């Protein structure tokens, strides 16, 4: 899954996704200067999220 697809899936901006990767909140793989994400890891992020009130 690309950065744009991950942003759409999580309902966040692409910059928010990149920031989360830099802070270590989301695990990403780099290939040819692009970030790729596993859907299962994004699902786990949603499940463990403790954000209240959104």
């Amino acid at each position: 899954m690309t950065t744009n697809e991950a942003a759409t899936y999580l309902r966040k901006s692409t910059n928010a996704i990149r920031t989360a990767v830099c802070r270590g909140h989301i695990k990403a793989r780099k290939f040819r200067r692009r970030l790729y994400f596993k859907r299962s890891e994004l699902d786990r992020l949603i499940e463990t999220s403790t954000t209240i009130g959104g």
Side-chain angles (χ1 to χ4, degrees):
M1 183 179 291
T2 64
T3 304
N4 288 333
E5 292 168 340
T8 302
Y9 186 70
L10 296 175
R11 297 182 194 161
K12 300 289 182 184
S13 68
T14 55
N15 286 335
I17 299 297
R18 289 188 191 108
T19 301
V21 170
C22 288
R23 291 181 180 173
H25 299 296
I26 301 175
K27 193 173 185 181
R29 284 125 183 103
K30 257 189 174 178
F31 180 70
R32 295 190 184 193
R33 298 182 60 181
R34 293 182 187 223
L35 295 174
Y36 292 94
F37 305 88
K38 286 186 176 180
R39 186 179 306 265
S40 60
E41 291 178 1
L42 297 179
D43 287 338
R44 188 175 18 186
L45 177 72
I46 292 170
E47 290 173 4
T48 60
S49 175
T50 59
T51 302
I52 298 172

